[in-house]
């Protein structure tokens, strides 16, 4: 069956329900488009064109919605990232391995970042960096750092602090840009 895929990232019950809803919306919009063209033209031969247009509209809207949700998720993760990286550096300084430190930090964080870090910490400890790189664009620097420190045998705590400072600087700069833009007079 279409929705009985193996469990994994993005294969939750909510994901499957979202897929079902998208399929129903696509089918209904295709029928609606076909009916609309049939009513407008009075010709049955034009109905497939209406169905195709209706399906195309739903597919484009779904892709835009998915992109918007991904951007919102990355924005939420970026907002929490500096503090989480500082906490991660402290746990690693305390003697925990990076994979175990991620699990501890992820369990204490709320929101998107906590869920993503906890999911990345599950599984083989030597693949944590790879999983972080794949999970979200905001976590690529952290994943690359963990992967490289693992390969090179470099202490990771100092690098985590530098990454936290960089993430904090980017977050501060982005927030000040948003404040500056919001103070600009409108052109209307």
């Amino acid at each position: 069956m279409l929705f009985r895929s193996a469990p994994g990232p993005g294969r939750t019950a909510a994901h499957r329900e979202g897929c079902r809803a998208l399929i129903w919306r696509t089918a209904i919009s295709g029928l609606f488009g076909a009916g609309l063209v049939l009513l407008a033209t009075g010709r049955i031969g034009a109905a497939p064109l209406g169905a195709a247009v209706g399906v195309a509209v739903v597919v484009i809207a779904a892709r835009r919605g998915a992109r918007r949700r991904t951007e919102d998720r990355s924005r939420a993760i970026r907002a929490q990232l500096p503090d989480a990286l500082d906490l991660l550096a402290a746990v690693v300084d305390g003697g925990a391995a990076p994979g175990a430190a991620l699990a501890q930090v992820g369990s204490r964080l709320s929101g998107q970042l906590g869920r993503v870090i906890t999911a990345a910490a599950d599984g083989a400890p030597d693949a944590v960096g790879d999983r972080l790189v794949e999970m979200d664009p905001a976590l690529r620097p952290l994943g690359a750092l963990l992967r490289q420190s693992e390969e090179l045998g470099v202490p990771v705590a100092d690098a985590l602090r530098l990454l936290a400072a960089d993430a904090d600087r980017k977050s501060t700069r982005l927030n000040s840009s948003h404040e500056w833009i919001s103070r600009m007079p409108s052109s209307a």
Side-chain angles (χ1 to χ4, degrees), residues 96-186:
L102 272 174
Q104 289 177 357
V105 169
S107 69
R108 285 172 176 67
L109 291 174
S110 62
Q112 290 289 335
L113 184 59
R115 286 190 289 276
V116 170
I117 286 181
T118 302
D122 291 342
D126 57 341
V128 171
D130 294 331
R131 284 192 297 274
L132 283 170
V133 166
E134 295 170 3
M135 291 185 120
D136 194 276
L139 296 174
R140 284 186 186 136
L142 175 59
L145 176 112
L146 291 176
R147 188 172 36 194
Q148 289 174 354
S149 69
E150 199 172 284
E151 291 173 1
L152 302 173
V154 177
V156 74
D158 292 334
L160 284 170
R161 282 194 185 81
L162 289 173
L163 190 60
D166 185 52
D168 191 36
R169 189 182 77 247
K170 285 179 183 177
S171 175
T172 302
R173 184 175 45 203
L174 185 63
N175 287 339
S176 65
S177 297
H178 284 233
E179 290 171 13
W180 183 76
I181 290 171
S182 68
R183 288 191 302 250
M184 291 180 65
S186 64

Side-chain angles (χ1 to χ4, degrees), residues 52-145:
V53 169
V55 168
V57 166
V58 167
V59 168
I60 290 169
R63 292 189 80 190
R64 284 187 179 174
R67 188 178 308 127
R68 188 177 320 114
R69 284 188 300 276
T70 301
E71 289 170 357
D72 290 347
R73 175 182 161 181
S74 289
R75 192 175 303 117
I77 287 173
R78 280 189 186 97
Q80 287 184 299
L81 196 56
D83 294 333
L85 289 171
D86 282 333
L87 183 59
L88 187 60
V91 173
V92 169
D93 269 346
L102 272 174
Q104 289 177 357
V105 169
S107 69
R108 285 172 176 67
L109 291 174
S110 62
Q112 290 289 335
L113 184 59
R115 286 190 289 276
V116 170
I117 286 181
T118 302
D122 291 342
D126 57 341
V128 171
D130 294 331
R131 284 192 297 274
L132 283 170
V133 166
E134 295 170 3
M135 291 185 120
D136 194 276
L139 296 174
R140 284 186 186 136
L142 175 59
L145 176 112

